[in-house]
Coordinates of all heavy atoms in Angstrom, one line a residue:
M1 N 36.1 -120.5 11.3 CA 35.7 -121.4 12.4 C 35.0 -122.6 11.8 O 33.9 -122.9 12.1 CB 34.7 -120.6 13.3 CG 34.4 -121.4 14.6 SD 33.5 -120.3 15.7 CE 32.0 -121.3 15.8
P2 N 35.7 -123.4 11.0 CA 35.1 -124.7 10.5 C 34.8 -125.6 11.7 O 35.4 -125.6 12.7 CB 36.3 -125.3 9.7 CG 37.1 -124.1 9.3 CD 37.0 -123.2 10.5
D3 N 33.8 -126.4 11.4 CA 33.3 -127.3 12.4 C 34.3 -128.2 13.0 O 34.3 -128.7 14.1 CB 32.1 -128.1 11.9 CG 30.9 -127.3 11.6 OD1 30.7 -126.3 12.3 OD2 30.2 -127.6 10.6
T4 N 35.3 -128.6 12.2 CA 36.3 -129.5 12.6 C 37.4 -128.8 13.6 O 38.0 -129.5 14.3 CB 37.1 -130.1 11.4 OG1 37.6 -129.1 10.6 CG2 36.2 -131.0 10.6
E5 N 37.5 -127.5 13.5 CA 38.5 -126.8 14.3 C 37.9 -126.4 15.6 O 38.5 -126.6 16.7 CB 39.0 -125.6 13.5 CG 39.9 -125.9 12.4 CD 40.5 -124.7 11.7 OE1 40.4 -123.6 12.3 OE2 40.9 -124.8 10.6
T6 N 36.8 -125.7 15.6 CA 36.3 -125.1 16.8 C 34.8 -125.5 17.0 O 34.0 -125.4 16.1 CB 36.3 -123.5 16.7 OG1 37.6 -123.1 16.5 CG2 35.8 -122.9 18.0
P7 N 34.5 -126.1 18.2 CA 33.2 -126.5 18.4 C 32.2 -125.3 18.7 O 32.7 -124.3 19.0 CB 33.3 -127.4 19.7 CG 34.5 -126.9 20.4 CD 35.4 -126.4 19.3
D8 N 31.0 -125.5 18.5 CA 30.0 -124.5 18.7 C 29.7 -124.5 20.2 O 28.9 -125.3 20.7 CB 28.7 -124.8 17.9 CG 27.7 -123.6 18.0 OD1 27.8 -122.8 19.0 OD2 26.9 -123.5 17.1
H9 N 30.3 -123.6 21.0 CA 30.1 -123.6 22.4 C 28.7 -123.2 22.8 O 28.2 -123.7 23.8 CB 31.1 -122.6 23.0 CG 32.5 -122.9 22.9 ND1 33.0 -124.2 23.1 CD2 33.6 -122.2 22.6 CE1 34.3 -124.3 22.9 NE2 34.7 -123.0 22.6
Y10 N 28.0 -122.4 22.0 CA 26.6 -122.1 22.3 C 25.7 -123.3 22.2 O 24.8 -123.5 23.0 CB 26.1 -120.9 21.4 CG 26.8 -119.6 21.7 CD1 27.7 -119.1 20.8 CD2 26.6 -119.0 22.9 CE1 28.4 -117.9 21.1 CE2 27.3 -117.8 23.2 CZ 28.2 -117.3 22.3 OH 28.8 -116.1 22.6
E11 N 26.0 -124.1 21.1 CA 25.2 -125.3 20.9 C 25.5 -126.3 22.0 O 24.6 -127.0 22.5 CB 25.5 -125.9 19.6 CG 24.8 -127.2 19.2 CD 23.3 -126.9 19.0 OE1 22.9 -125.8 18.6 OE2 22.5 -127.8 19.2
M12 N 26.8 -126.4 22.4 CA 27.1 -127.3 23.5 C 26.4 -127.0 24.8 O 25.9 -127.9 25.4 CB 28.7 -127.3 23.7 CG 29.2 -128.1 24.8 SD 28.8 -129.9 24.7 CE 29.5 -130.3 23.1
L13 N 26.3 -125.8 25.1 CA 25.6 -125.4 26.3 C 24.1 -125.2 26.1 O 23.3 -124.9 27.0 CB 26.2 -124.1 26.9 CG 27.6 -124.2 27.5 CD1 28.1 -122.9 27.9 CD2 27.6 -125.2 28.7
Q14 N 23.6 -125.3 24.9 CA 22.2 -125.2 24.5 C 21.7 -123.8 24.9 O 20.6 -123.7 25.5 CB 21.4 -126.3 25.2 CG 21.9 -127.7 24.8 CD 21.2 -128.8 25.6 OE1 20.2 -128.6 26.3 NE2 21.8 -130.0 25.6
I15 N 22.4 -122.8 24.5 CA 22.0 -121.4 24.8 C 22.1 -120.6 23.6 O 22.7 -120.9 22.6 CB 22.9 -120.8 26.0 CG1 24.3 -120.8 25.6 CG2 22.6 -121.5 27.3 CD1 25.2 -120.1 26.5
S16 N 21.5 -119.4 23.7 CA 21.5 -118.4 22.6 C 22.8 -117.7 22.6 O 23.4 -117.4 23.7 CB 20.4 -117.5 22.7 OG 20.6 -116.3 22.0
P17 N 23.4 -117.2 21.5 CA 24.6 -116.4 21.5 C 24.3 -115.1 22.2 O 25.3 -114.4 22.6 CB 24.8 -116.1 20.0 CG 24.2 -117.3 19.3 CD 23.0 -117.7 20.1
N18 N 23.1 -114.7 22.5 CA 22.7 -113.5 23.2 C 22.6 -113.7 24.7 O 22.2 -112.8 25.4 CB 21.4 -112.9 22.7 CG 21.5 -112.6 21.2 OD1 22.6 -112.1 20.7 ND2 20.5 -112.8 20.5
A19 N 22.9 -114.9 25.2 CA 22.7 -115.2 26.6 C 23.6 -114.4 27.5 O 24.8 -114.1 27.1 CB 23.0 -116.7 26.9
D20 N 23.1 -113.9 28.6 CA 23.9 -113.1 29.6 C 24.7 -114.1 30.4 O 24.5 -115.3 30.5 CB 23.0 -112.2 30.4 CG 22.0 -113.0 31.3 OD1 22.4 -113.9 32.0 OD2 20.8 -112.7 31.2
P21 N 25.7 -113.5 31.1 CA 26.6 -114.3 31.9 C 25.9 -115.2 33.0 O 26.3 -116.3 33.2 CB 27.6 -113.3 32.5 CG 27.6 -112.2 31.6 CD 26.2 -112.1 31.0
D22 N 24.9 -114.6 33.6 CA 24.1 -115.4 34.6 C 23.5 -116.6 34.0 O 23.5 -117.7 34.6 CB 23.1 -114.5 35.3 CG 22.4 -115.2 36.4 OD1 23.1 -115.7 37.3 OD2 21.2 -115.2 36.4
M23 N 22.9 -116.5 32.8 CA 22.3 -117.6 32.1 C 23.3 -118.7 31.8 O 23.1 -119.9 31.9 CB 21.5 -117.1 30.9 CG 21.0 -118.2 30.0 SD 19.6 -119.2 30.9 CE 18.3 -118.0 30.7
I24 N 24.4 -118.2 31.3 CA 25.5 -119.2 30.9 C 25.9 -120.0 32.2 O 26.0 -121.2 32.1 CB 26.7 -118.4 30.3 CG1 26.4 -117.8 29.0 CG2 27.9 -119.4 30.2 CD1 27.4 -116.8 28.4
H25 N 26.1 -119.3 33.3 CA 26.5 -120.0 34.5 C 25.4 -121.0 35.0 O 25.7 -122.1 35.3 CB 26.7 -118.9 35.6 CG 27.2 -119.5 36.9 ND1 28.4 -120.1 37.1 CD2 26.5 -119.7 38.1 CE1 28.5 -120.6 38.3 NE2 27.3 -120.3 38.9
R26 N 24.1 -120.6 35.0 CA 23.1 -121.5 35.4 C 22.9 -122.7 34.5 O 22.8 -123.8 35.1 CB 21.7 -120.7 35.5 CG 21.7 -119.8 36.7 CD 20.3 -119.1 36.8 NE 20.2 -118.2 35.7 CZ 19.1 -117.8 35.1 NH1 17.9 -118.3 35.5 NH2 19.1 -116.9 34.1
V27 N 23.0 -122.5 33.2 CA 22.9 -123.6 32.3 C 24.1 -124.6 32.5 O 23.9 -125.8 32.5 CB 22.7 -123.2 30.9 CG1 22.8 -124.3 29.9 CG2 21.4 -122.5 30.7
Y28 N 25.2 -124.0 32.6 CA 26.4 -124.8 32.8 C 26.3 -125.7 34.0 O 26.6 -126.9 34.0 CB 27.7 -123.9 32.9 CG 28.9 -124.7 33.3 CD1 29.5 -125.7 32.5 CD2 29.4 -124.6 34.6 CE1 30.6 -126.4 32.9 CE2 30.5 -125.3 35.1 CZ 31.1 -126.2 34.2 OH 32.1 -127.0 34.6
R29 N 25.9 -125.1 35.1 CA 25.8 -125.8 36.4 C 24.8 -127.0 36.2 O 25.0 -128.1 36.7 CB 25.3 -124.9 37.5 CG 26.2 -123.8 37.9 CD 27.2 -124.1 38.9 NE 26.5 -124.6 40.1 CZ 27.1 -125.0 41.2 NH1 28.4 -125.0 41.2 NH2 26.4 -125.5 42.2
L30 N 23.7 -126.7 35.6 CA 22.7 -127.8 35.4 C 23.2 -128.9 34.5 O 23.1 -130.1 34.9 CB 21.4 -127.2 34.7 CG 20.3 -128.2 34.3 CD1 19.4 -128.2 35.5 CD2 19.6 -127.8 33.1
L31 N 23.9 -128.6 33.4 CA 24.4 -129.6 32.5 C 25.6 -130.3 33.1 O 25.8 -131.5 32.9 CB 24.8 -129.0 31.2 CG 23.6 -128.5 30.3 CD1 24.1 -127.8 29.1 CD2 22.7 -129.7 29.9
A32 N 26.4 -129.6 33.9 CA 27.6 -130.2 34.5 C 27.2 -131.2 35.6 O 27.8 -132.3 35.7 CB 28.4 -129.1 35.2
Q33 N 26.1 -131.0 36.3 CA 25.6 -132.0 37.2 C 25.1 -133.2 36.5 O 25.3 -134.3 36.9 CB 24.4 -131.4 38.1 CG 24.9 -130.4 39.1 CD 23.7 -129.7 39.8 OE1 22.6 -129.8 39.4 NE2 24.0 -129.1 40.9
R34 N 24.4 -133.0 35.4 CA 23.9 -134.1 34.6 C 25.0 -135.0 34.0 O 24.9 -136.2 34.0 CB 23.0 -133.6 33.5 CG 22.4 -134.7 32.7 CD 21.4 -134.2 31.6 NE 20.4 -133.3 32.2 CZ 19.8 -132.4 31.5 NH1 20.1 -132.2 30.2 NH2 18.8 -131.7 32.0
F35 N 26.1 -134.4 33.5 CA 27.1 -135.1 32.8 C 28.4 -135.4 33.6 O 29.3 -135.9 33.0 CB 27.4 -134.5 31.4 CG 26.2 -134.5 30.5 CD1 25.5 -133.3 30.2 CD2 25.8 -135.7 29.9 CE1 24.4 -133.4 29.4 CE2 24.7 -135.7 29.1 CZ 24.0 -134.6 28.8
H36 N 28.4 -135.0 34.8 CA 29.6 -135.2 35.6 C 29.9 -136.7 35.7 O 29.0 -137.5 35.9 CB 29.4 -134.6 37.0 CG 30.7 -134.5 37.8 ND1 31.3 -135.6 38.4 CD2 31.6 -133.4 37.9 CE1 32.4 -135.2 38.9 NE2 32.6 -133.9 38.7
P37 N 31.2 -137.0 35.6 CA 31.5 -138.5 35.6 C 31.1 -139.2 36.9 O 30.9 -140.4 36.9 CB 33.1 -138.5 35.5 CG 33.4 -137.2 34.8 CD 32.3 -136.2 35.3
D38 N 30.9 -138.5 38.0 CA 30.5 -139.1 39.2 C 29.0 -139.4 39.2 O 28.5 -140.2 40.1 CB 30.8 -138.2 40.4 CG 32.3 -138.1 40.7 OD1 33.1 -139.0 40.2 OD2 32.7 -137.2 41.4
N39 N 28.3 -138.9 38.3 CA 26.8 -139.2 38.2 C 26.7 -140.6 37.5 O 26.9 -140.8 36.3 CB 26.1 -138.2 37.3 CG 24.6 -138.3 37.3 OD1 24.1 -139.4 37.4 ND2 23.9 -137.2 37.1
S40 N 26.3 -141.6 38.3 CA 26.2 -143.0 37.8 C 25.1 -143.2 36.8 O 25.2 -144.1 36.0 CB 26.0 -143.9 39.0 OG 24.8 -143.7 39.6
Q41 N 24.1 -142.4 36.7 CA 23.0 -142.6 35.7 C 23.3 -141.9 34.4 O 23.0 -142.5 33.4 CB 21.7 -142.1 36.3 CG 21.3 -142.9 37.5 CD 20.0 -142.3 38.2 OE1 19.7 -141.2 37.9 NE2 19.4 -143.1 39.1
T42 N 23.7 -140.6 34.4 CA 23.9 -139.9 33.2 C 25.3 -139.3 32.9 O 25.5 -138.5 32.1 CB 22.9 -138.7 33.1 OG1 23.1 -137.9 34.3 CG2 21.4 -139.2 33.1
G43 N 26.2 -139.8 33.7 CA 27.6 -139.2 33.6 C 28.3 -139.6 32.3 O 28.1 -140.6 31.7
D44 N 29.0 -138.6 31.8 CA 29.7 -138.8 30.5 C 30.9 -137.9 30.6 O 30.8 -136.6 30.4 CB 28.8 -138.4 29.3 CG 29.4 -138.6 28.0 OD1 30.7 -138.7 27.9 OD2 28.7 -138.6 27.0
A45 N 32.1 -138.5 30.8 CA 33.3 -137.7 31.0 C 33.7 -136.8 29.7 O 34.1 -135.7 29.9 CB 34.5 -138.6 31.3
G46 N 33.5 -137.4 28.5 CA 33.8 -136.6 27.3 C 32.9 -135.4 27.2 O 33.3 -134.3 26.9
R47 N 31.6 -135.6 27.4 CA 30.6 -134.5 27.3 C 30.9 -133.5 28.4 O 30.8 -132.3 28.1 CB 29.2 -135.1 27.4 CG 28.1 -134.0 27.3 CD 27.7 -133.7 25.9 NE 26.8 -132.7 25.7 CZ 25.5 -132.8 25.6 NH1 25.0 -134.1 25.6 NH2 24.7 -131.8 25.5
F48 N 31.2 -133.9 29.6 CA 31.5 -133.0 30.7 C 32.7 -132.1 30.3 O 32.7 -130.9 30.6 CB 31.8 -133.8 32.0 CG 32.1 -132.9 33.1 CD1 31.1 -132.2 33.8 CD2 33.4 -132.8 33.6 CE1 31.4 -131.4 34.9 CE2 33.7 -131.9 34.6 CZ 32.7 -131.3 35.3
R49 N 33.7 -132.7 29.7 CA 34.9 -132.0 29.4 C 34.6 -130.9 28.3 O 35.0 -129.8 28.4 CB 36.0 -132.9 28.8 CG 37.3 -132.3 28.7 CD 38.4 -133.4 28.3 NE 38.4 -134.6 29.1 CZ 38.0 -135.8 28.7 NH1 37.6 -136.0 27.5 NH2 38.0 -136.8 29.6
Q50 N 33.7 -131.3 27.3 CA 33.3 -130.3 26.3 C 32.5 -129.2 26.9 O 32.7 -128.0 26.6 CB 32.5 -131.0 25.2 CG 33.2 -132.0 24.4 CD 32.3 -132.8 23.5 OE1 31.2 -133.0 23.7 NE2 32.9 -133.3 22.4
L51 N 31.6 -129.5 27.9 CA 30.9 -128.5 28.6 C 31.8 -127.5 29.3 O 31.6 -126.3 29.3 CB 29.9 -129.1 29.6 CG 28.7 -129.8 29.0 CD1 28.0 -130.6 30.0 CD2 27.7 -128.8 28.3
H52 N 32.7 -128.1 30.0 CA 33.7 -127.3 30.8 C 34.5 -126.4 29.9 O 34.7 -125.2 30.2 CB 34.6 -128.2 31.6 CG 35.6 -127.4 32.4 ND1 35.3 -126.6 33.5 CD2 36.9 -127.2 32.2 CE1 36.3 -126.0 33.9 NE2 37.4 -126.3 33.2
D53 N 34.9 -126.9 28.7 CA 35.7 -126.1 27.8 C 34.8 -124.9 27.2 O 35.3 -123.8 27.2 CB 36.2 -126.9 26.6 CG 37.2 -127.9 27.0 OD1 37.8 -127.7 28.1 OD2 37.5 -128.8 26.2
A54 N 33.5 -125.2 26.9 CA 32.6 -124.2 26.4 C 32.4 -123.1 27.5 O 32.4 -121.9 27.2 CB 31.3 -124.8 26.0
Y55 N 32.2 -123.6 28.7 CA 32.0 -122.6 29.8 C 33.2 -121.8 30.1 O 33.1 -120.6 30.3 CB 31.6 -123.4 31.1 CG 31.4 -122.4 32.3 CD1 30.2 -121.6 32.3 CD2 32.3 -122.4 33.3 CE1 30.0 -120.8 33.4 CE2 32.1 -121.5 34.4 CZ 31.0 -120.7 34.4 OH 30.8 -119.9 35.5
S56 N 34.4 -122.4 30.0 CA 35.6 -121.6 30.2 C 35.7 -120.5 29.2 O 36.2 -119.4 29.6 CB 36.8 -122.5 30.1 OG 36.8 -123.5 31.1
V57 N 35.4 -120.7 28.0 CA 35.5 -119.7 26.9 C 34.4 -118.6 27.1 O 34.6 -117.4 27.1 CB 35.4 -120.3 25.5 CG1 35.2 -119.2 24.5 CG2 36.6 -121.1 25.2
L58 N 33.1 -119.1 27.3 CA 32.0 -118.1 27.3 C 31.9 -117.4 28.7 O 31.2 -116.3 28.7 CB 30.7 -118.9 27.0 CG 30.6 -119.5 25.6 CD1 29.3 -120.2 25.5 CD2 30.9 -118.5 24.6
S59 N 32.5 -117.9 29.7 CA 32.3 -117.2 31.0 C 33.4 -116.1 31.2 O 33.2 -115.2 32.0 CB 32.5 -118.2 32.2 OG 33.7 -118.7 32.2
D60 N 34.4 -116.1 30.4 CA 35.4 -115.0 30.4 C 35.1 -114.0 29.3 O 35.1 -114.3 28.2 CB 36.8 -115.6 30.2 CG 37.9 -114.6 30.1 OD1 38.0 -113.8 31.1 OD2 38.7 -114.6 29.2
P61 N 34.8 -112.7 29.7 CA 34.4 -111.7 28.7 C 35.4 -111.6 27.6 O 35.0 -111.4 26.4 CB 34.3 -110.4 29.6 CG 34.1 -110.9 31.0 CD 34.8 -112.2 31.1
E62 N 36.7 -111.6 27.8 CA 37.7 -111.4 26.8 C 37.7 -112.6 25.8 O 37.7 -112.4 24.6 CB 39.1 -111.2 27.4 CG 40.1 -110.8 26.3 CD 41.5 -110.5 27.0 OE1 41.5 -109.9 28.1 OE2 42.5 -110.9 26.3
S63 N 37.7 -113.8 26.3 CA 37.8 -114.9 25.4 C 36.4 -115.1 24.7 O 36.4 -115.6 23.6 CB 38.2 -116.2 26.2 OG 37.3 -116.5 27.2
R64 N 35.3 -114.7 25.4 CA 34.0 -114.8 24.7 C 34.0 -113.8 23.5 O 33.4 -114.1 22.5 CB 32.9 -114.5 25.7 CG 31.5 -114.6 25.0 CD 30.4 -114.4 26.0 NE 29.1 -114.5 25.3 CZ 27.9 -114.3 25.8 NH1 27.8 -114.0 27.1 NH2 26.8 -114.5 25.1
A65 N 34.5 -112.6 23.7 CA 34.5 -111.6 22.6 C 35.3 -112.1 21.4 O 34.9 -112.0 20.3 CB 35.1 -110.3 23.1
K66 N 36.5 -112.7 21.7 CA 37.3 -113.3 20.6 C 36.5 -114.5 19.9 O 36.5 -114.6 18.7 CB 38.6 -113.8 21.1 CG 39.5 -112.7 21.5 CD 40.8 -113.3 22.1 CE 41.7 -112.3 22.6 NZ 42.9 -112.8 23.2
Y67 N 35.9 -115.3 20.7 CA 35.1 -116.4 20.2 C 33.9 -115.9 19.3 O 33.7 -116.5 18.3 CB 34.6 -117.3 21.3 CG 33.7 -118.5 20.8 CD1 34.3 -119.6 20.2 CD2 32.4 -118.4 20.9 CE1 33.5 -120.6 19.7 CE2 31.5 -119.4 20.4 CZ 32.1 -120.5 19.8 OH 31.3 -121.5 19.3
D68 N 33.2 -114.9 19.8 CA 32.1 -114.4 19.1 C 32.4 -113.8 17.7 O 31.7 -114.0 16.8 CB 31.4 -113.3 19.9 CG 30.5 -113.9 21.1 OD1 30.3 -115.1 21.1 OD2 30.1 -113.1 22.0
V69 N 33.6 -113.2 17.6 CA 34.0 -112.7 16.3 C 34.1 -113.9 15.3 O 33.6 -113.8 14.2 CB 35.4 -111.9 16.4 CG1 36.0 -111.7 15.1 CG2 35.2 -110.7 17.2
A70 N 34.8 -114.9 15.7 CA 35.0 -116.1 14.9 C 33.7 -116.8 14.6 O 33.4 -117.2 13.5 CB 36.0 -117.1 15.5
Y71 N 32.8 -116.9 15.6 CA 31.5 -117.5 15.5 C 30.7 -116.8 14.5 O 30.1 -117.5 13.6 CB 30.9 -117.5 16.9 CG 29.5 -118.1 16.9 CD1 29.3 -119.5 17.0 CD2 28.4 -117.2 17.0 CE1 28.0 -120.0 17.0 CE2 27.1 -117.8 17.0 CZ 26.9 -119.1 17.0 OH 25.6 -119.7 17.1
H72 N 30.6 -115.5 14.6 CA 29.7 -114.7 13.6 C 30.3 -114.8 12.2 O 29.5 -114.8 11.2 CB 29.5 -113.3 14.1 CG 28.7 -113.2 15.4 ND1 27.3 -113.6 15.4 CD2 28.9 -112.9 16.6 CE1 26.8 -113.5 16.6 NE2 27.8 -113.0 17.4
E73 N 31.6 -114.8 12.1 CA 32.2 -114.9 10.7 C 31.9 -116.2 10.1 O 31.6 -116.3 8.9 CB 33.7 -114.7 10.8 CG 34.2 -113.3 11.0 CD 35.7 -113.1 11.2 OE1 36.4 -114.2 11.1 OE2 36.1 -112.0 11.4
H74 N 31.9 -117.3 10.9 CA 31.6 -118.6 10.4 C 30.2 -118.7 10.0 O 29.8 -119.3 9.0 CB 31.9 -119.6 11.5 CG 31.6 -121.0 11.2 ND1 32.2 -121.8 10.2 CD2 30.6 -121.9 11.6 CE1 31.6 -122.9 10.1 NE2 30.7 -123.0 10.9
R75 N 29.3 -118.1 10.8 CA 27.8 -118.2 10.5 C 27.6 -117.4 9.2 O 26.8 -117.8 8.4 CB 27.0 -117.6 11.6 CG 27.0 -118.6 12.8 CD 26.1 -118.1 13.9 NE 24.8 -117.8 13.5 CZ 23.7 -118.5 13.6 NH1 23.8 -119.7 14.1 NH2 22.5 -118.1 13.2
Q76 N 28.2 -116.2 9.0 CA 28.0 -115.5 7.8 C 28.5 -116.2 6.6 O 27.9 -116.2 5.5 CB 28.7 -114.1 7.9 CG 28.0 -113.2 8.9 CD 28.8 -111.9 9.0 OE1 29.9 -111.7 8.6 NE2 28.1 -110.9 9.7
L77 N 29.7 -116.9 6.7 CA 30.2 -117.7 5.6 C 29.2 -118.8 5.2 O 29.0 -119.0 4.1 CB 31.5 -118.3 6.0 CG 32.2 -119.2 5.0 CD1 32.5 -118.5 3.7 CD2 33.4 -119.9 5.6
R78 N 28.6 -119.5 6.2 CA 27.6 -120.5 5.9 C 26.4 -120.0 5.2 O 25.9 -120.6 4.3 CB 27.2 -121.2 7.2 CG 28.3 -122.1 7.8 CD 27.8 -122.8 9.1 NE 26.5 -123.3 9.0 CZ 25.8 -123.6 10.1 NH1 26.3 -123.4 11.3 NH2 24.6 -124.1 10.1
V79 N 26.0 -118.8 5.6 CA 24.8 -118.2 4.9 C 25.2 -117.8 3.5 O 24.4 -118.1 2.6 CB 24.4 -116.9 5.7 CG1 23.4 -116.1 4.9 CG2 23.8 -117.3 7.0
R80 N 26.4 -117.3 3.3 CA 26.8 -116.9 1.9 C 26.9 -118.2 1.0 O 26.6 -118.2 -0.1 CB 28.2 -116.2 1.9 CG 28.0 -114.7 2.2 CD 29.3 -114.0 2.0 NE 29.7 -113.7 3.4 CZ 30.9 -113.8 3.9 NH1 31.9 -114.1 3.1 NH2 31.2 -113.5 5.1
L81 N 27.4 -119.3 1.6 CA 27.6 -120.5 0.8 C 26.2 -121.1 0.4 O 26.0 -121.5 -0.7 CB 28.3 -121.6 1.7 CG 29.8 -121.3 1.8 CD1 30.4 -122.4 2.8 CD2 30.5 -121.4 0.5
V82 N 25.3 -121.0 1.4 CA 23.9 -121.5 1.1 C 23.2 -120.6 0.1 O 22.6 -121.1 -0.9 CB 23.1 -121.6 2.4 CG1 21.6 -121.9 2.1 CG2 23.6 -122.7 3.3
S83 N 23.4 -119.3 0.2 CA 22.7 -118.4 -0.7 C 23.3 -118.3 -2.1 O 22.7 -117.9 -3.1 CB 22.6 -117.0 -0.1 OG 23.8 -116.4 0.0
S84 N 24.6 -118.7 -2.2 CA 25.3 -118.7 -3.5 C 25.1 -119.9 -4.3 O 25.6 -120.0 -5.4 CB 26.7 -118.4 -3.3 OG 27.4 -119.5 -2.7
T85 N 24.4 -120.9 -3.8 CA 24.2 -122.1 -4.6 C 23.4 -122.0 -5.8 O 23.4 -122.8 -6.7 CB 23.6 -123.2 -3.7 OG1 22.3 -122.8 -3.2 CG2 24.5 -123.6 -2.6
G86 N 22.6 -120.9 -5.9 CA 21.8 -120.6 -7.1 C 20.5 -121.5 -7.2 O 19.9 -121.6 -6.2
H87 N 20.2 -122.0 -8.3 CA 19.0 -122.7 -8.5 C 19.1 -124.1 -7.9 O 20.1 -124.8 -8.0 CB 18.7 -122.9 -10.0 CG 17.5 -123.7 -10.3 ND1 16.3 -123.2 -10.1 CD2 17.4 -125.0 -10.8 CE1 15.4 -124.1 -10.5 NE2 16.1 -125.2 -10.9
V88 N 18.0 -124.5 -7.2 CA 18.0 -125.8 -6.5 C 16.8 -126.5 -7.1 O 15.7 -126.0 -7.2 CB 17.7 -125.6 -5.0 CG1 17.6 -127.0 -4.3 CG2 18.9 -124.8 -4.4
D89 N 17.1 -127.7 -7.6 CA 16.0 -128.5 -8.2 C 15.1 -129.1 -7.0 O 15.6 -129.6 -6.0 CB 16.6 -129.7 -8.9 CG 17.3 -129.3 -10.2 OD1 17.0 -128.3 -10.7 OD2 18.3 -130.0 -10.6
S90 N 13.8 -128.9 -7.2 CA 12.9 -129.4 -6.2 C 11.6 -129.7 -6.9 O 11.3 -129.4 -8.1 CB 12.7 -128.4 -5.1 OG 12.0 -127.3 -5.6
D91 N 10.7 -130.4 -6.2 CA 9.4 -130.7 -6.7 C 8.4 -129.6 -6.5 O 7.2 -129.7 -7.0 CB 8.9 -132.0 -6.0 CG 9.7 -133.2 -6.3 OD1 10.4 -133.2 -7.3 OD2 9.8 -134.1 -5.4
F92 N 8.8 -128.5 -5.9 CA 7.8 -127.4 -5.7 C 7.9 -126.4 -6.8 O 9.0 -126.0 -7.2 CB 8.1 -126.8 -4.3 CG 8.0 -127.7 -3.2 CD1 9.1 -128.3 -2.6 CD2 6.7 -128.0 -2.7 CE1 8.9 -129.1 -1.5 CE2 6.6 -128.9 -1.7 CZ 7.7 -129.5 -1.1
E93 N 6.8 -125.9 -7.2 CA 6.7 -124.8 -8.2 C 6.7 -123.5 -7.4 O 6.1 -123.3 -6.4 CB 5.5 -124.9 -9.0 CG 5.4 -126.2 -9.8 CD 6.4 -126.2 -11.0 OE1 6.7 -125.1 -11.5 OE2 6.9 -127.2 -11.3
Y94 N 7.4 -122.5 -8.0 CA 7.5 -121.2 -7.4 C 6.7 -120.2 -8.2 O 6.6 -120.1 -9.3 CB 8.9 -120.6 -7.3 CG 9.7 -121.5 -6.4 CD1 10.6 -122.4 -6.8 CD2 9.6 -121.3 -5.0 CE1 11.4 -123.2 -6.0 CE2 10.3 -122.1 -4.1 CZ 11.2 -123.0 -4.6 OH 12.0 -123.8 -3.8

């Protein structure tokens, strides 16, 4: 799940990966109102489309399960990459 291929839907909705379906729905409604293109003050069609895409995936149990598998694999890969860098030069003494 590289950043260029799949967006972080949890980050887009500003929720935890452990969020329950009710929380996902409430946060989506709040953000959708804020970024809806008809909102003359804070509307953003691109952001609204991204929110809708994230909600579409996370609100469906089957697609969320598939997304979660890829999401957790991507996070584990990032942790392995960071931990495998070895010695890091810094100004701090250990």
Side-chain angles (χ1 to χ4, degrees):
M1 189 173 118
D3 293 328
T4 57
E5 288 181 18
T6 304
D8 186 340
H9 295 318
Y10 293 111
E11 182 68 27
M12 177 57 58
L13 290 174
Q14 302 171 17
I15 58 174
S16 165
N18 300 325
D20 62 54
D22 186 52
M23 174 65 75
I24 293 170
H25 180 72
R26 286 184 289 151
V27 170
Y28 168 72
R29 298 266 309 174
L30 178 91
L31 293 174
Q33 288 176 344
R34 182 178 303 156
F35 294 108
H36 194 279
D38 290 345
N39 185 332
S40 62
Q41 296 175 345
T42 59
D44 182 344
R47 181 85 185 265
F48 179 78
R49 194 172 310 108
Q50 292 172 337
L51 288 168
H52 179 72
D53 292 345
Y55 178 72
S56 295
V57 170
L58 298 180
S59 64
D60 177 51
E62 186 176 324
S63 58
R64 182 178 180 181
K66 290 178 185 176
Y67 176 78
D68 283 347
V69 168
Y71 176 80
H72 291 296
E73 285 176 0
H74 176 68
R75 287 181 54 97
Q76 287 177 350
L77 177 63
R78 285 179 46 199
V79 168
R80 276 187 257 141
L81 288 174
V82 169
S83 64
S84 69
T85 59
H87 178 71
V88 176
D89 293 331
S90 70
D91 294 335
F92 299 103
E93 294 292 327
Y94 295 103

